[in-house]
Amino acid sequence: MNFSRNRVLHVDDDPSDSLLLRQACRKVEASFELLSLSEGEAAVAYLSGANGYSDREIHPLPVLVLLDLKMPRMSGFDVLTWIRKHESLKILPVIIFTASNQNEDIKRAYAAGANSYLVKPVGIHTLMEMVRKLDGYWLNLNQGVSL
Amino acid sequence: MAKSNESCGQRTGEGTRPTVEVLADGHHGLGRGRASNTLAPRMVENPKPGSFMPPHACWGGKPIAGEMILRKAVEGNSFLDYCGRMQTFQFMCGNMRFSKVRLNDFMQLTSGRWLARLPAALARYGFAVAVVLAALLLRFALSSSFGFRWPLSFFVASTFVAAWFGGAGPGVLALAAGLVLGNYYFVPALQAGNVHRPFDFVGSLGYVFASSICIAVVENLRRTKRQLIRLQRESLERGRVAESLRQSEKRFHELADAMPQMVWTAAPDGRLEYINQKWFEYTGLSGEQSYAQEGWITVVHPADKDKVLHTVHEALISGKPFQMESRIKNRDGAYRWYLSRGLSMQDESGRVVRWFATSTEIEEQKQTEQALENAREQLAQHARDLESRVVERTAKLEESLRSLEGVLYHVAHDLRAPLRAVEGFTQLLLERQAASFDPEEADYAARIISAASNMDELIRDLLDYGRLTHMEVPCWKIDLEGEIARVLVTLEREIKAKRAQIKVETPLPKVRANSEVLREVLVNILSNALKFVSPGVDPEIHIFARRDGGRARLSLQDNGIGIDAAHQEQIFQMFGRLHGGSHYSGTGIGLAIVRKGVERMGGAVGVESQPRHGSRFWVELPVAVETL
């Protein structure tokens, strides 16, 4: 286990999509470690260090959040809004990763402070390509700030 | 005129004797304030020579009124018995005028005014001379009785007569002639010539004195008479004027009473002077009530009172015509609408002398107006209702459409989630178990993946088509060359895979379009051109454009399998597929998207094709206006 690997937080209520994304990351040998959470509430708890996520040794802050929009109870928009309101997290890069390509959703996401907007593809190969590019750009090329 | 009138009958020397006629006919004097002028006597030259009508006959239409007025006119003058004298004067006046008419005839025989006046003066003086001569002859005839006593006494009489008929001038002439002749013929000493006897100084003095008194008295009488006649005429004229005014007033009242409207006249201060019969009939008010200070306002509807009073007061101050509508109560207590109009009559100086007003019933008109207004209001209400109902329905429809769209999107997205899983896990399974699958199993897995992909494509196309229908399509200037180049990059992989030859004929015009929609249109057409070729044939696509006025037609010619004329319209319809999935795969939505997209950009799309000879799809779009 490599502890120095960057952590990417993936929030999605669909376990199939989470599994597919994990498989895709594994197949392209992504440079980051993916943590999938199935609820918006869990994501907020993780980011704020509550509910057993307080140990940052085990649960370090992610360098990137992949956020699904359509989730029960706390939606992706709610999580995003919460992040952008949180003083220490407001600069955390958040990429929307959702099935919707509706203009309204896209506009609303950017307005709420999303850094990028990706539509889930049908086809594992397209997904792998997407992960590869995401890893290359956001985890390597892009200059981030450590929180 | 006054001078001529004054000399009536006395100045015999006057050649042109005007006759006075009072014109009373047809003048009511209303509306002009010039009654005194219009009714003034008019002078005319003798209308028919020789057929003179004496003035008293002319004036004498209403002798009693004339007398009364004359009495009034010379009131305070106690010198004369007015009535008696007047008759005398009239008689004399008539006589004199009779003689003067003769002179007038003579004047008309001769030519020229001064010529006519000369014989008249000569006649007056000649008459004086004749009278003196007559007195001389009479004195001679009676000299046997008188001897040399009273040598001048007869000449006093002649002077009097000469003055009476000829005026002061002839009188003085007669006086002088009598003095000379009397002294010459009837003073004995002078006649004898030998006895120096002085001129009968005392007698002459007495004679001159007596004659002068005669002349003075006669002259005075003449003047008084002249004055009287003038006064009489003026009084008669005034009487005539008053009478004619009274007549015209009476006529006016008769007329006004016959009118179906209410008519009234008022003094400049608004005090009512006359109200016609209709008012009393309608309101049932008494004259006392009506003529009282603003008594009429009691029958005006309370709601209209202030407005009416305001209008009337305003008009009384300004003197300008007014008009107003008000409800007036009838004798049964019911109100009816009346239109009142008032006009002021002004004199020459612009001062209001009288108000004249009418009130016309406009109840029916008002009711019609009201009905019309009600109808209009009702119509407007209906229109508003309809409008709000339309707005409501539209809102509902939009709402349901929106929710339907939302449902559609959700369904579409949720439909894609299992597809991702099906495709993804089958792929993973296939890859991991590749070694253990027999060819048949591998084929099954491939079919699952392919079916999932197709379904995903179908859903995406459906979503695209739906989006095209509802999205806003703002159009601006688009460079076709650049747009086609970008589309070719998008399709690069397919083009290479099919080993297609694509020739673009430049330059291409700039058009007004929406870049996103145009690209979708071109991708669909080109994909079809790449797809629908006979097996073993490499696609060849020729792209070119022609400008036709304000439109540009972009043509995409391929060497594909072509389309039968019977199906050329069908292909643009939703799911208008001509080929089964085994030969050429597709969703059957591509060309429907093309048509929808082009239509949304204000263009047109079509195809010219023959089976096995390729197809030429064309897209017509408005040419972009060149701006500097």
Side-chain angles (χ1 to χ4, degrees), chain B residues 440-459:
Chain B
E440 207 171 325
E441 285 168 338
D443 179 51
Y444 294 160
R447 280 177 190 275
I448 293 173
I449 292 167
S450 164
S453 298
N454 284 346
M455 189 164 173
D456 182 52
E457 198 186 338
L458 174 65
I459 290 170

Side-chain angles (χ1 to χ4, degrees), chain B residues 131-168:
Chain B
V131 171
V132 172
L133 288 178
L136 183 68
L137 288 175
L138 193 63
R139 182 65 179 78
F140 271 125
L142 298 173
S143 60
S144 55
S145 317
F146 285 95
F148 290 107
R149 283 172 298 155
W150 309 106
L152 299 172
S153 55
F154 277 73
F155 296 104
V156 174
S158 72
T159 303
F160 179 83
V161 173
W164 186 273
F165 290 104

Side-chain angles (χ1 to χ4, degrees), chain B residues 6 22 42 56 60 65 86 93-94 98 143 178 186 246 328 335 344 361 374 382 443 446 521 555 607 618:
Chain B
E6 168 186 24
V22 175
R42 193 179 66 175
H56 60 266
M86 189 184 76
C93 187
F98 194 74
S143 60
F186 305 108
R246 212 170 54 78
I328 300 175
Y335 286 96
S344 61
E361 194 190 305
N374 287 347
H382 283 317
D443 179 51
V521 166
S555 299
V607 66
W618 54 263

Side-chain angles (χ1 to χ4, degrees), chain B residues 37-94:
Chain B
N37 266 9
T38 52
L39 287 168
R42 193 179 66 175
M43 303 247 324
V44 291
E45 292 293 324
N46 253 338
K48 282 175 270 173
S51 64
F52 175 73
M53 188 198 277
H56 60 266
C58 178
W59 300 334
K62 296 263 177 188
I64 294 169
E67 273 172 38
M68 279 167 61
I69 288 179
L70 181 66
R71 195 190 296 274
K72 204 176 172 189
V74 292
E75 218 166 25
N77 186 349
S78 57
F79 186 67
L80 291 168
D81 172 10
Y82 313 118
C83 289
R85 282 298 165 103
M86 189 184 76
Q87 293 300 327
T88 312
F89 288 156
Q90 274 197 350
F91 173 72
M92 288 171 67
C93 187

Side-chain angles (χ1 to χ4, degrees), chain A residues 7-78:
Chain A
R7 180 161 287 195
V8 168
L9 188 66
H10 177 222
V11 191
D12 197 328
D13 65 316
D14 187 337
S16 292
D17 279 346
S18 294
L19 183 57
L20 276 176
L21 183 62
R22 201 190 314 280
Q23 292 303 321
C25 288
R26 196 175 52 78
K27 273 185 160 288
V28 300
E29 292 170 350
S31 68
F32 55 84
E33 183 195 18
L34 189 75
L35 174 70
S36 289
L37 297 175
S38 62
E39 290 175 343
E41 290 90 339
V44 168
Y46 183 92
L47 288 171
S48 57
N51 294 352
Y53 292 116
S54 55
D55 187 356
R56 288 294 176 214
E57 284 292 321
I58 310 163
H59 308 295
L61 277 175
V63 293
L64 185 72
V65 178
L66 285 174
L67 192 59
D68 186 21
L69 287 180
K70 300 208 164 53
M71 293 184 290
R73 295 187 304 279
M74 197 168 187
S75 76
F77 290 116
D78 298 333

Side-chain angles (χ1 to χ4, degrees), chain A residues 14-17 19-20 23-24 26-27 70 98-105 119-125 128, chain B residues 405-406 409-410 413-414 416-421 423-425 427-428 431-432 452-453 456 460 463-464 467 471:
Chain A
D14 187 337
S16 292
D17 279 346
L19 183 57
L20 276 176
Q23 292 303 321
R26 196 175 52 78
K27 273 185 160 288
K70 300 208 164 53
T98 182
S100 166
N101 65 347
Q102 264 184 286
N103 261 333
E104 275 173 43
D105 286 339
V119 179
K120 289 178 192 167
V122 173
I124 186 90
H125 291 120
M128 281 153 62
Chain B
E405 258 175 70
Y409 274 105
H410 277 115
H413 293 137
D414 290 351
R416 290 180 76 197
L419 286 181
R420 284 195 298 275
E423 201 273 351
F425 292 119
Q427 197 78 44
L428 287 172
E431 281 169 22
R432 194 172 293 178
S453 298
D456 182 52
R460 264 188 296 150
L463 285 175
D464 279 351
R467 207 159 52 89
M471 73 184 280

Side-chain angles (χ1 to χ4, degrees), chain B residues 157-309:
Chain B
S158 72
T159 303
F160 179 83
V161 173
W164 186 273
F165 290 104
V172 171
L173 178 68
L175 183 146
L179 185 67
V180 172
L181 292 174
N183 274 308
Y184 184 80
Y185 286 109
F186 305 108
V187 177
L190 277 175
Q191 207 178 29
N194 48 5
V195 180
H196 183 72
R197 191 169 159 192
F199 171 69
D200 184 1
F201 186 76
V202 178
S204 296
L205 206 64
Y207 163 77
V208 168
F209 180 70
S211 297
S212 297
I213 284 176
C214 278
I215 293 171
V217 167
V218 167
E219 189 61 24
N220 192 27
L221 277 175
R222 276 160 48 97
R223 281 204 187 145
T224 311
K225 186 181 72 180
R226 234 181 281 155
Q227 215 168 353
L228 264 175
I229 285 168
R230 195 179 66 237
L231 281 170
Q232 181 199 28
R233 180 175 299 111
E234 281 173 8
S235 309
L236 283 172
E237 279 162 15
R238 229 172 283 148
R240 174 63 67 182
V241 167
E243 173 60 16
S244 102
L245 261 178
R246 212 170 54 78
Q247 284 290 336
S248 87
E249 199 92 324
K250 195 175 150 222
R251 264 199 301 267
F252 162 65
H253 290 173
E254 281 167 5
L255 186 70
D257 283 339
M259 276 167 83
Q261 286 116 321
M262 296 174 185
V263 179
W264 65 79
T265 64
D269 63 357
R271 189 171 37 81
L272 288 176
E273 287 176 337
Y274 163 76
I275 311 176
N276 78 338
Q277 206 51 41
K278 171 78 180 170
W279 166 269
F280 298 108
E281 282 168 16
Y282 178 78
T283 61
L285 291 184
S286 68
E288 203 178 330
Q289 287 168 313
S290 303
Y291 284 107
Q293 177 75 26
E294 284 181 353
W296 51 272
I297 199 73
T298 55
V299 290
V300 174
H301 195 282
D304 299 336
K305 253 179 204 173
D306 285 348
K307 185 186 71 185
V308 166
L309 283 174

Side-chain angles (χ1 to χ4, degrees), chain B residues 336-374:
Chain B
R336 292 177 82 80
W337 276 100
Y338 273 82
L339 170 70
S340 303
R341 280 198 177 116
L343 276 175
S344 61
M345 275 151 260
Q346 292 159 0
D347 59 15
E348 285 98 337
S349 63
R351 206 164 44 88
V352 174
V353 293
R354 198 182 224 187
W355 283 95
F356 178 75
T358 60
S359 286
T360 313
E361 194 190 305
I362 50 165
E363 182 66 27
E364 271 180 40
Q365 199 179 324
K366 272 280 175 187
Q367 275 174 2
T368 313
E369 258 173 46
Q370 190 58 47
L372 208 66
E373 185 53 41
N374 287 347

